[in-house]
Amino acid sequence: MKKDAVPQQADAIYEGETKVLYAQGSDGKLTPTPTQGWEAEIDALKQAVDEIAQLAQDALARAHAGETSPLEYHMYQQRLDLPMLAQAMGRFQWQVRRHFDPKRFARLSDRQRERYARVLGLSPDELTQLPPLKDKDPAHD
């Protein structure tokens, strides 16, 4: 793609940020070129963000029902998934998944809780807390 043909379709999802991709400059060489995104990428990104938001809401409902720990909710709320959280923690996925069990989560040592909190950008106290459930909007059903 030529440098002057790089799409510049700004969208609020990028929060004013740009990204760089390589395009062919006037001298025929690849050169870093900033872009504000393009329609197909923006649509895919919005779909992914909506999906992870739904996963967070589902996990929040399960956590309030005692079916999962707050860890699962906070993982999705920070836009992570199980493989990413496990990698950030230096653990296997099955080890992190076990901590989704509320009883196992409650028995985590302070050190383990602090590590999860640090990875998720929370305090250890925030890690154990849940926000209230939001009422479901009947217009979206």
Side-chain angles (χ1 to χ4, degrees):
M1 174 182 312
K2 300 271 186 198
K3 186 174 181 175
D4 58 351
V6 172
Q8 299 294 335
Q9 297 172 332
D11 192 275
I13 199 159
Y14 287 116
E15 298 176 345
E17 298 291 325
T18 59
K19 57 190 253 177
V20 173
L21 46 91
Y22 287 88
Q24 188 176 15
S26 58
D27 59 359
K29 295 182 180 178
L30 289 179
T31 181
T33 306
T35 180
Q36 294 177 338
W38 56 92
E39 188 176 353
E41 180 187 46
I42 291 168
D43 289 345
L45 186 56
K46 284 180 180 179
Q47 186 176 15
V49 168
D50 289 346
E51 182 178 337
I52 204 155
Q54 185 60 53
L55 289 170
Q57 282 306 114
D58 293 347
L60 179 61
R62 287 194 315 279
H64 275 286
E67 298 169 6
T68 192
S69 72
L71 178 61
E72 184 180 8
Y73 163 74
H74 289 297
M75 173 186 74
Y76 289 128
Q77 189 63 25
Q78 297 300 322
R79 294 186 178 174
L80 297 175
D81 61 8
L82 180 61
M84 290 189 304
L85 180 57
Q87 183 177 12
M89 288 293 295
R91 296 186 175 273
F92 293 108
Q93 291 179 39
W94 66 266
Q95 292 172 309
V96 173
R97 192 179 304 112
R98 286 177 55 165
H99 296 151
F100 292 168
D101 178 328
K103 290 177 183 166
R104 290 180 194 260
F105 180 76
R107 291 192 310 257
L108 284 177
S109 69
D110 289 342
R111 185 171 177 230
Q112 287 177 307
R113 198 171 281 121
E114 286 170 7
R115 282 190 66 208
Y116 275 119
R118 187 173 56 248
V119 165
L120 295 170
L122 303 169
S123 72
D125 287 337
E126 290 173 318
L127 182 66
T128 61
Q129 303 299 313
L130 291 169
L133 282 171
K134 294 178 183 174
D135 290 332
K136 220 174 179 186
D137 183 2
H140 286 89
D141 285 342

